[in-house]
Amino acid sequence: ATTGMTPMRFVWQRRLERARQMLADRSLPLAQVALDCGFSSQAHFTTAFKQANGVTPAAWRKARN
């Protein structure tokens, strides 16, 4: 109730926030970012990231660096 979202949604948002921070380090492979942020695979990470941000993690990384 404090955050205004369900616990699962809160955790999901935090994982994606951490992923966006990690994507700034271009030396980290996308698969490693996915696993470090708690996603079961790179494909799962890509799907969740694109749903939340409208672009894939690779496109996000390319646009920001």
Side-chain angles (χ1 to χ4, degrees), residues 19 22-23 28-39 45 61:
M22 291 181 73
L23 287 172
L28 290 174
L30 293 178
Q32 187 64 47
V33 173
L35 294 176
D36 287 353
C37 291
F39 293 93
F45 170 53
R61 177 181 268 177

Side-chain angles (χ1 to χ4, degrees), residues 7-9 11 26 28-30 37 41 44 48-49 54 61-63:
M8 185 62 181
R9 181 70 173 187
V11 169
R26 294 180 68 77
L28 290 174
L30 293 178
C37 291
S41 66
H44 179 220
F49 193 91
R61 177 181 268 177
K62 185 177 180 179

